[in-house]
Amino acid sequence: MAATGNVVGVGLSPEDFLPEPPSEDWELNILLDDIAQGINEEDLKRLKSYCIGGPGKRTLSEMKDAMDLFTHLRQTRRLTRDNIIVLQSMLFHLHRRDLQKKVLEYARRLGNVLHFYNPSDQPENGYQHLTVHVEGSVNFDRIKLEKLKDGVARLLCIPPQFVVVDGIEPGNSFLITFSIAEEYIDFVFEMQQCDSDYITAEGVDFVKVKEKYST
């Protein structure tokens, strides 16, 4: 009669057997390797074109595959395990939704990763969405996001904890959506030029509440 004991390993992945990952970037390394395998020659050419104006022409020409490009992004701190904004933006413009999905799954699995995601359809009761547009030439990282959040809080004269990030969307620039208590939202349209300096210094060129804009 066959043994009926527990079968070790059923439903588990190889990572479940690792006593300790070989590096803190283990999951990012796996993600980038997976993405690189899906990048063809034409994709790589386009990805490298997005970097023109950054690294030197020789550096770009020396990038023979996607992993070379990813390595450069990591060495210049434009891509880290907790900030994948630049990678997502590149894949967005490449129109590779299949690869974008892999990146999003990585961010959701790890948590606390700065990444693009759509705002909720409706904010919670008592709140409204406030969306700021940030020019695309601005390097975007967690520090930049916190500065924008603090700038919105100062603009509305409310504590930063009352400003909640509800979405970060890609494009030729960035759209960042915050949830703000309704009683403070109209202050946006009463601000003077000097009031908006807190956020314009961070690359914001307009603010939208519902369909109303403030520049």
Side-chain angles (χ1 to χ4, degrees):
M1 183 175 179
T4 58
N6 292 332
V7 179
V8 177
V10 173
L12 299 177
S13 67
E15 284 77 8
D16 293 314
F17 295 97
L18 287 174
E20 184 176 340
S23 79
E24 292 183 346
D25 286 347
W26 168 257
E27 298 237 24
L28 178 61
N29 295 338
I30 298 300
L31 170 69
L32 296 181
D33 178 65
D34 190 14
I35 291 176
Q37 293 182 53
I39 297 295
N40 59 38
E41 187 174 340
E42 181 60 28
D43 289 338
L44 178 61
K45 182 178 179 180
R46 291 178 61 192
L47 288 173
K48 289 166 65 174
S49 74
Y50 301 156
C51 299
I52 294 175
K57 185 175 181 180
R58 180 177 178 181
T59 301
L60 286 174
S61 66
E62 291 173 348
M63 296 177 185
K64 303 304 181 184
D65 54 33
M67 287 303 293
D68 287 343
L69 175 59
F70 296 155
T71 297
H72 170 76
L73 294 176
R74 296 173 77 173
Q75 289 174 341
T76 55
R77 304 298 294 171
R78 289 180 172 85
L79 172 61
T80 66
R81 62 177 176 274
D82 58 2
N83 185 350
I84 55 175
I85 287 285
V86 170
L87 176 61
Q88 275 188 297
S89 185
M90 284 182 155
L91 296 177
F92 172 83
H93 289 291
L94 200 60
H95 304 295
R96 289 296 303 272
R97 294 182 61 86
D98 56 330
L99 301 182
Q100 291 181 60
K101 183 178 179 181
K102 293 177 184 290
V103 176
L104 185 58
E105 289 172 349
Y106 162 88
R108 289 174 172 170
R109 184 172 66 253
L110 264 64
N112 198 32
V113 175
L114 189 60
H115 66 289
F116 291 124
Y117 58 99
N118 293 327
S120 56
D121 293 333
Q122 293 292 333
E124 294 183 10
N125 289 337
Y127 284 77
Q128 285 193 33
H129 280 157
L130 180 150
T131 301
V132 300
H133 177 267
V134 185
E135 60 176 325
S137 61
V138 174
N139 289 328
F140 197 80
D141 55 21
R142 198 175 298 277
I143 295 174
K144 174 68 67 176
L145 181 60
E146 286 301 315
K147 285 184 177 180
L148 284 170
K149 180 179 174 182
D150 289 345
V152 170
R154 294 180 68 179
L155 182 67
L156 302 178
C157 300
I158 59 177
Q161 59 265 34
F162 291 171
V163 179
V164 179
V165 180
D166 195 37
I168 306 175
E169 301 171 86
N172 293 323
S173 50
F174 302 109
L175 286 174
I176 305 170
T177 300
F178 299 96
S179 287
I180 309 291
E182 287 182 340
E183 61 261 36
Y184 302 112
I185 205 76
D186 286 339
F187 290 168
V188 173
F189 302 103
E190 299 172 5
M191 65 182 180
Q192 303 297 317
Q193 180 61 47
C194 59
D195 298 326
S196 63
D197 288 346
Y198 301 128
I199 56 176
T200 55
E202 301 303 328
V204 174
D205 54 10
F206 73 74
V207 176
K208 182 180 76 169
V209 178
K210 291 186 177 179
E211 297 305 317
K212 296 174 64 179
Y213 291 81
S214 177
T215 58

